[in-house]
Amino acid sequence: MKIKFTSHIKQHAGDILLECQDSFNYNLENLSFAVSDGVSQAYRPELWSRILTEAYVNNSDTFFIKDSENNLVVNPILGLSSKWNEAETFAYKNATPQEQFVLDMKKNAINVGAATFIGVKLVKEGVSFQTIGDSVLFFFDYETKELKAYSSMMPESGDMIFNNNPEYIDSNECNHGKIISGLLPYREGILFLATDALSDWIVERRFPSDKIERILRELMAISTHNAFDIWVDNARNEANPTKLKDDDTTFIAIEFIDTSDSNIEVGHNFTVKFDALMKDSLLSELNSQRSELEEIRSAKSKSELALRGKEKQITGLTSDLESCKTEVENKRAEITRLNSEIKSLNSQIKKLKADLSVSDSECRRLRSANSTLGTDKSNLENELRTSRQEVSRLKSENKKLESIINAHKSSPAPSTKKNEEIAQLNSELNEAATKMQILQSELDLLRDIVKKTRTLYDMNGKLTTLDLNTLFSQILGETLVSQEVHIQQTIVVGKPTGDGGFQM
């Protein structure tokens, strides 16, 4: 009998292979194969799934035993629970403090590992298998073109149930669900062991038969780990509601080519054990980290050079800062001085405002006085005009009198009547002289009044000396000159005689 088998594994997007909770293993000496999927809600499920697959392929004949109720259970003699505790303790010690913090929180919530499981062993009679959980064992028959599925979570309807609560075996070696087992006869076709994400994807595409056969042959033909990575990425990004879920994805495919001979001949399409894959992944990660470390070292050297340059700049800036500090202190002193001057100026402004207020009051008083003086001036002007008219009249009369006197001097001695007229004229002259004296007194009074008002304030509060002569000129309308009235009085001592004498 000729067989060919392929195995592949791909972790959840964004994880490294070391974090993958799926595992697979095989042993070509005893022709045993195993696939397991760690339950994500459990504690360190990836460690438990690896322990299960490794223990099965090395102890496939004694891995399961039947308990008192005839149910299959993990053989306690294998000590798998102790191995899980040892592996968990070792992994915890090698974790970073941050990782330990996360592990402590999860361990406090649930301190048990859990995983689904499929175990297959090729024996003389056929294909012996045991399975529990939503990891599914498929067989596609080349002759009948029929796809059969075997799982502990498949109801009588034949429809698989895929959810977040699968049946599993925990790290205390207890079953949560029933392990189903069976023996399949050898037939030409493909035996396919897959974890839940890929199993669900296959179930959605099981019809028509030629389509699922093409899919299984395509998976069998993937010859490199990188090629499987690409296939998984494409399947996860299909524009289809039933695209491959973004979860750990693992399978082992065994193709039975010729079943006529009982001797089994094994051919490899592509198979690398999970440990080797993980080693390669770790080496790749290490090389990546080395490259990153070299980049970091290079960046560090550049940073150190830049830092030294920055230190020089800082030294220069520190010197500039000290200079700036000195300048700032000087400016502060200058500001203090200016503030003092401002205060002094403010005081002066307040004083000036007070003085201005007083000046305003004085201006208002002067304006009022000026108004009064204007009225007095107007009154004086009226009086002076009247006096000027009276003076003009007196001048005229004085000229007339002078003419009469002159005529009298040149005329012969007056008669009695003439004497009476002369006496009358003398009386009028005396009366005129009296009036002239009165007018002269009024004029002197006006001069005194004007002298008292010669100094006045103008509207801006400045002192101005008024020219008295100019004032009188404006009032009288002519240049002010001293006016004197000469009154000639004739005293009669007798009657004039013909020879020019007087008779008493």
Side-chain angles (χ1 to χ4, degrees), residues 68-230:
S68 58
E69 296 179 357
N70 208 33
N71 294 320
L72 290 176
V73 296
V74 175
N75 192 344
I77 199 171
L78 299 175
L80 302 187
S81 181
S82 297
K83 291 182 180 179
W84 178 82
N85 287 325
E86 291 173 2
E88 185 275 324
T89 301
F90 179 79
Y92 183 86
K93 288 180 179 179
N94 287 279
T96 65
Q98 293 83 354
E99 291 171 339
Q100 289 179 351
F101 178 76
V102 175
L103 291 172
D104 287 337
M105 289 194 299
K106 195 165 187 177
K107 189 174 184 180
N108 291 333
I110 178 171
N111 187 20
V112 64
T116 65
F117 180 79
I118 303 173
V120 168
K121 182 177 175 61
L122 304 185
V123 295
K124 184 178 180 180
E125 296 80 5
V127 179
S128 174
F129 71 89
Q130 301 84 25
T131 179
I132 183 172
D134 54 7
S135 295
V136 182
L137 174 65
F138 298 96
F139 183 76
F140 181 81
D141 193 316
Y142 285 163
E143 183 179 352
T144 63
K145 304 297 182 182
E146 181 181 8
L147 178 68
K148 292 185 178 182
Y150 304 91
S151 169
S152 68
M153 296 183 68
M154 182 178 291
E156 294 181 0
S157 64
D159 294 328
M160 274 293 300
I161 299 174
F162 295 96
N163 55 38
N164 292 325
N165 297 295
E167 296 176 351
Y168 58 87
I169 303 169
D170 69 22
S171 56
N172 293 322
E173 302 175 9
C174 296
N175 297 342
H176 293 261
K178 185 176 181 179
I179 298 175
I180 66 169
S181 61
L183 183 66
L184 304 178
Y186 289 121
R187 294 180 62 84
E188 292 181 4
I190 298 176
L191 188 69
F192 202 85
L193 295 73
T195 53
D196 59 334
L198 186 55
S199 296
D200 188 11
W201 189 83
I202 290 173
V203 168
E204 292 291 339
R205 291 158 178 75
R206 64 186 183 276
F207 301 113
S209 60
D210 59 339
K211 179 180 180 180
I212 191 62
E213 180 179 5
R214 186 174 63 255
I215 289 172
L216 294 177
R217 286 184 180 274
E218 179 185 348
L219 289 168
M220 280 291 303
I222 296 174
S223 58
T224 65
H225 183 66
N226 289 336
F228 182 64
D229 284 351
I230 294 171

